[in-house]
Amino acid sequence: MLAVPEMGLQGLYSGSSPERSPVPSPPGSPRTQESCGIAPLTPSQSPVLHLQKPEARAPQQAPFSVVVAIDFGTTSSGYAFSFASDPEAIHMMRKWEGGDPGVAHQKTPTCLLLTPEGAFHSFGYTARDYYHDLDPEEARDWLYFEKFKMKIHSATDLTLKTQLEAVNGKKMPALEVFAHALRFFKEHALQELRDQCPSLPEKDTVRWVLTVPAIWKQPAKQFMREAAYLAGLVSREDAEQLLIALEPEAASVYCRKLRLHQLVDLSSRAPGSGRLGERRSIDSSFRQAREQLRRSRHSRTFLVESGVGELWAEMQAGDRYVVADCGGGTVDLTVHQLEQPHGTLKELYKASGGPCGAVGVDLAFEQLLGRIFGEDFIATFKRQRPAAWVDLTIAFEACKRTAGPHHAGALNISLPFSFIDFYRKQRGHNVETALRRSSVNFVKWSSQGMLRMSCEAMNDLFQPMVSGIIQHIEALLARPEVQGVKLLFLVGGFAESAVLQHAVQAALGARGLRVVVPHDVGLTILKGAVLFGQAPGVVRVRRSPLTYGVGVLNRFVAGRHPPDKLLVRDGRRWCTDVFERFVAAEQSVALGEEVLRSYCPARPGQRRVLINLYCCAAEDARFITDPGVRKCGALSLELEPAEGGPHAAGAPPSRREIRTAMQFGDTEIKVTAVDVSTNRSVRAAIDFLSN
């Protein structure tokens, strides 16, 4: 239950006849007891959002020597780096040990293996292969985690105590699991840097970059930052040494540097062939625009100053394009506009997408096995023979990579001996009998001990995810803010799939959209994250995904405010629970723009104050009790004792004003604060994980 601060209303006014008072709401309103510890000053009378435009600042020397980016993916992960002295020379990590035939090893599977005691053992191919070789009985005690990134996206009540389940069913804190993985990459990367540059100083040398999907909400982003702190990438005191990069943004930053020979246009696919045809259209389709740009002295200057690649040189400034990041867990969409004079990027619509990643194909295969052998058997097999289940998923992954719309012949999936033996013991007959009895007639048993699946059946496993991706892209293209887009970059690990490439081109190519795939499509995000770390200001304007604000009191107006919101105090009539907006959903916010608000502590000597933050998808929410509005976090201010001696007897204490500045135009919501009376910084933070 929340009480109105004892200091009353009159101490909070910034004007003689205010229309608003940010005094907390009365008992029964949906906020916490801690909120009564602070009372905001009266906001601006104007309904227009108070944004402080970023000031022009002189370029500063980079405080770091090297940028290391970690692309923490659902199915595979890796790192890359570049030195501040040569920022565009991107160094990929060393080749990983182990791996699968025919698969590039510049990334490693997102697999973590912990000992039965919960200590770190290995990550990536090493973890997967070691776990695979364990005795089945021994493997039951080891904690093996794979494809666990999606748990953070799907968790509706994510906190620092959220648990993850290993393959054997045992659970441990998700924060520890992620920290183990990040610590592995940190140690691996630092060792490689020491080997390459022994003179590189250890302290304050590295700027770290972590990639996350753009559709992730603030709690998930904060969770990754907390995991990085626990892993020792950076300390809380040096939080600015860690950047969170949005995956489709990173891809966009990298794609703008590419030259024509580094791209493939899917419209050049030869009819009836599963292979890409000669690269023909990018060069020819922009030839006229290139000639126009070459005649323009200003455009030549623009291209030189911005350092963009040839494709962008052929585009006019102001042109729009979509990046579709198709990864293991999600499809992540962003639409950017190229700006003059420095080639910066402007987001035209808030990030969109959904859980339509490659793991959905794996789930469809698991469901297919359940139809053939029984869902109860598959669940038991996964629990009692976890290492053999991993072996089966590896076999399916190899088969999945060969699938294509024009693949000729059936596809063979090797069943582990452990699966065959376990099924016979559990069911009393062999897997061949199960296939004959099954209603699934497009999967047969081969004499080589393999499941034989028709290519049509394999393509059907892709369809739910592929259709979902296309629907998300089409929904984005239908938005009025995105009209005029003619170019789509298909990136991410799932974008390597010929099935997905063919389907996207068939669905969107007919409407005049040019679908382009970088040659190193699976590394686009990783390389772009390095470039982003060297120049995070390249994305100049973003769109807020949600509306954010706080609850305040307004002067009650009969006929406009509902009667149940009326609060009478000290003879004055107030409307409670009013949602005061900081930034609206889909609002454009430039990097560095600040939302300014001033607050004062409710009691003299108060050391810590909290303000609840609320969010919603709607732009026009009026009250924090409206449907869809929810408490999403808390702004905390840690105050030093007020300076100055005791006040004269009977004299009221002077009001202490804390001025906060919030930024919504970055990849994370940021806040700073200053004590106006002393001009000293106040420790300020927004916690999205404490709900």
Side-chain angles (χ1 to χ4, degrees):
M1 192 68 71
L2 177 69
V4 177
E6 293 180 356
M7 66 184 295
L9 302 178
Q10 62 271 22
L12 303 176
Y13 299 155
S14 62
S16 58
S17 179
E19 290 298 319
R20 296 185 181 134
S21 174
V23 175
S25 300
S29 62
R31 53 180 77 192
T32 65
Q33 175 73 25
E34 296 173 302
S35 291
C36 67
I38 190 165
L41 299 178
T42 303
S44 167
Q45 297 294 323
S46 170
V48 178
L49 181 67
H50 184 189
L51 287 177
Q52 181 72 36
K53 298 296 182 181
E55 298 177 0
R57 298 173 180 171
Q60 297 181 349
Q61 184 69 26
F64 50 88
S65 303
V66 61
V67 167
V68 178
I70 300 174
D71 181 14
F72 198 98
T74 301
T75 55
S76 61
S77 301
Y79 70 87
F81 58 91
S82 72
F83 295 95
S85 56
D86 190 7
E88 294 190 14
I90 300 173
H91 304 263
M92 300 302 298
M93 58 278 172
R94 293 168 177 161
K95 302 289 185 181
W96 300 100
E97 295 180 2
D100 303 320
V103 180
H105 298 165
Q106 290 186 302
K107 296 175 84 173
T108 193
T110 307
C111 305
L112 173 69
L113 181 62
L114 305 180
T115 67
E117 295 74 30
F120 177 84
H121 180 273
S122 51
F123 186 88
Y125 285 117
T126 304
R128 191 196 70 181
D129 295 343
Y130 188 92
Y131 186 66
H132 168 267
D133 293 337
L134 284 172
D135 178 85
E137 295 299 323
E138 185 181 5
R140 294 185 188 182
D141 298 325
W142 288 66
L143 286 81
Y144 181 79
F145 299 88
E146 62 176 355
K147 301 173 183 175
F148 49 88
K149 178 182 174 182
M150 276 298 290
K151 300 295 183 181
I152 302 305
H153 173 73
S154 58
T156 57
D157 55 348
L158 181 65
T159 71
L160 296 178
K161 297 181 180 180
T162 295
Q163 301 264 308
L164 285 182
E165 185 175 307
V167 171
N168 63 1
K170 295 182 180 179
K171 294 182 178 181
M172 72 176 304
L175 194 68
E176 293 183 22
V177 174
F178 278 80
H180 277 307
L182 293 177
R183 191 178 297 114
F184 165 80
F185 281 112
K186 171 199 170 187
E187 295 172 355
H188 207 285
L190 290 181
Q191 184 59 53
E192 184 169 354
L193 287 172
R194 284 192 290 266
D195 293 344
Q196 289 203 20
C197 189
S199 62
L200 200 66
E202 290 271 345
K203 186 173 176 58
D204 302 329
T205 297
V206 179
R207 167 179 278 176
W208 296 90
V209 182
L210 288 181
T211 65
V212 302
I215 59 174
W216 270 19
K217 295 180 172 61
Q218 294 298 326
K221 296 176 185 178
Q222 183 185 338
F223 181 92
M224 290 299 291
R225 179 170 284 277
E226 294 291 339
Y229 291 151
L230 184 59
L233 265 69
V234 300
S235 65
R236 295 182 187 276
E237 291 71 24
D238 298 315
E240 68 281 354
Q241 279 189 253
L242 172 66
L243 298 179
I244 299 296
L246 308 183
E247 289 166 358
E249 280 191 1
S252 179
V253 170
Y254 177 68
C255 287
R256 65 192 281 278
K257 294 287 185 180
L258 294 179
R259 297 184 176 275
L260 298 178
H261 69 275
Q262 297 171 297
L263 298 159
V264 176
D265 183 357
L266 295 186
S267 65
S268 64
R269 186 186 297 271
S273 170
R275 298 182 300 274
L276 296 176
E278 295 295 325
R279 179 188 55 79
R280 59 163 180 82
S281 53
I282 293 182
D283 196 12
S284 59
S285 64
F286 289 110
R287 188 172 294 132
Q288 182 178 0
R290 172 188 272 182
E291 292 303 317
Q292 293 173 351
L293 287 169
R294 283 176 174 169
R295 295 191 196 100
S296 168
R297 178 178 300 177
H298 177 74
S299 294
R300 286 201 302 270
T301 303
F302 160 58
L303 296 178
V304 172
E305 289 183 353
S306 65
V308 297
E310 286 179 320
L311 176 59
W312 306 96
E314 293 160 348
M315 296 177 67
Q316 299 282 0
D319 278 355
R320 306 169 172 199
Y321 61 93
V322 172
V323 176
D325 170 25
C326 306
T330 60
V331 58
D332 221 8
L333 306 176
T334 192
V335 54
H336 279 160
Q337 184 175 43
L338 188 65
E339 296 183 312
Q340 287 195 23
H342 301 298
T344 53
L345 301 174
K346 177 181 180 181
E347 189 176 43
L348 297 180
Y349 184 66
K350 65 180 181 180
S352 60
C356 300
V359 295
V361 183
D362 303 337
L363 180 60
F365 176 65
E366 181 178 337
Q367 292 170 343
L368 176 63
L369 293 178
R371 290 172 57 191
I372 297 172
F373 301 106
E375 294 180 1
D376 58 334
F377 169 78
I378 296 299
T380 303
F381 179 73
K382 288 173 64 178
R383 185 175 61 254
Q384 297 191 22
R385 296 291 186 270
W389 173 256
V390 172
D391 196 21
L392 177 55
T393 62
I394 294 171
F396 175 71
E397 179 67 25
C399 184
K400 184 173 70 173
R401 289 178 178 273
T402 65
H406 307 291
H407 187 280
L411 299 165
N412 293 321
I413 303 171
S414 178
L415 279 182
F417 172 77
S418 177
F419 184 98
I420 299 171
D421 182 62
F422 192 75
Y423 184 81
R424 187 180 67 252
K425 291 178 179 178
Q426 290 284 316
R427 291 292 199 251
H429 56 265
N430 57 30
V431 296
E432 185 177 2
T433 302
L435 283 163
R436 285 201 307 266
R437 294 177 177 178
S438 169
S439 60
V440 179
N441 56 14
F442 45 78
V443 179
K444 306 296 182 183
W445 180 251
S446 73
S447 58
Q448 291 80 22
M450 297 183 179
L451 294 179
R452 191 169 179 83
M453 181 183 297
S454 68
C455 57
E456 293 82 9
M458 175 62 81
N459 290 339
D460 286 344
L461 297 181
F462 280 78
Q463 287 317 301
M465 296 299 102
V466 170
S467 298
I469 289 172
I470 293 172
Q471 289 171 10
H472 280 295
I473 296 175
E474 289 178 334
L476 176 63
L477 294 175
R479 298 289 308 184
E481 302 92 334
V482 189
Q483 297 307 302
V485 168
K486 296 296 182 184
L487 186 65
L488 181 143
F489 286 96
L490 202 59
V491 303
F494 197 17
E496 297 175 347
S497 166
V499 175
L500 178 60
Q501 290 182 5
H502 180 270
V504 171
Q505 171 59 32
L508 303 176
R511 58 191 298 170
L513 190 69
R514 188 169 300 282
V515 183
V516 178
V517 180
H519 281 310
D520 52 355
V521 59
L523 300 175
T524 301
I525 294 162
L526 177 55
K527 293 181 176 181
V530 176
L531 296 176
F532 176 80
Q534 295 284 3
V538 64
V539 183
R540 192 186 64 83
V541 178
R542 292 182 174 88
R543 295 282 185 130
S544 176
L546 295 171
T547 298
Y548 291 95
V550 294
V552 300
L553 296 184
N554 273 7
R555 178 69 64 87
F556 187 86
V557 178
R560 189 177 75 178
H561 294 141
D564 62 336
K565 296 294 183 184
L566 174 62
L567 169 69
V568 179
R569 186 173 176 85
D570 297 333
R572 311 194 74 161
R573 293 160 58 88
W574 300 96
C575 181
T576 64
D577 296 331
V578 175
F579 184 44
E580 193 210 14
R581 189 175 68 188
F582 288 162
V583 65
E586 302 181 27
Q587 178 179 337
S588 290
V589 186
L591 187 66
E593 279 189 358
E594 295 178 333
V595 177
L596 303 180
R597 290 292 187 274
S598 289
Y599 303 96
C600 71
R603 300 179 302 277
Q606 191 168 332
R607 300 291 299 273
R608 185 170 187 261
V609 291
L610 291 175
I611 307 169
N612 287 336
L613 296 181
Y614 297 85
C615 70
C616 62
E619 302 177 42
D620 55 354
R622 298 179 61 199
F623 302 99
I624 61 174
T625 54
D626 285 354
V629 180
R630 59 184 177 85
K631 177 180 177 291
C632 62
L635 167 63
S636 66
L637 303 171
E638 305 289 341
L639 306 180
E640 296 295 330
E643 295 184 353
H647 298 282
S654 60
R655 185 174 60 184
R656 187 179 184 186
E657 180 181 348
I658 309 299
R659 184 172 298 156
T660 64
M662 286 169 282
Q663 296 186 26
F664 294 88
D666 213 326
T667 57
E668 301 172 272
I669 297 176
K670 299 180 178 180
V671 62
T672 57
V674 173
D675 188 328
V676 174
S677 62
T678 62
N679 204 33
R680 291 181 180 176
S681 295
V682 172
R683 180 174 294 182
I686 300 178
D687 185 5
F688 292 101
L689 291 172
S690 61
N691 288 333

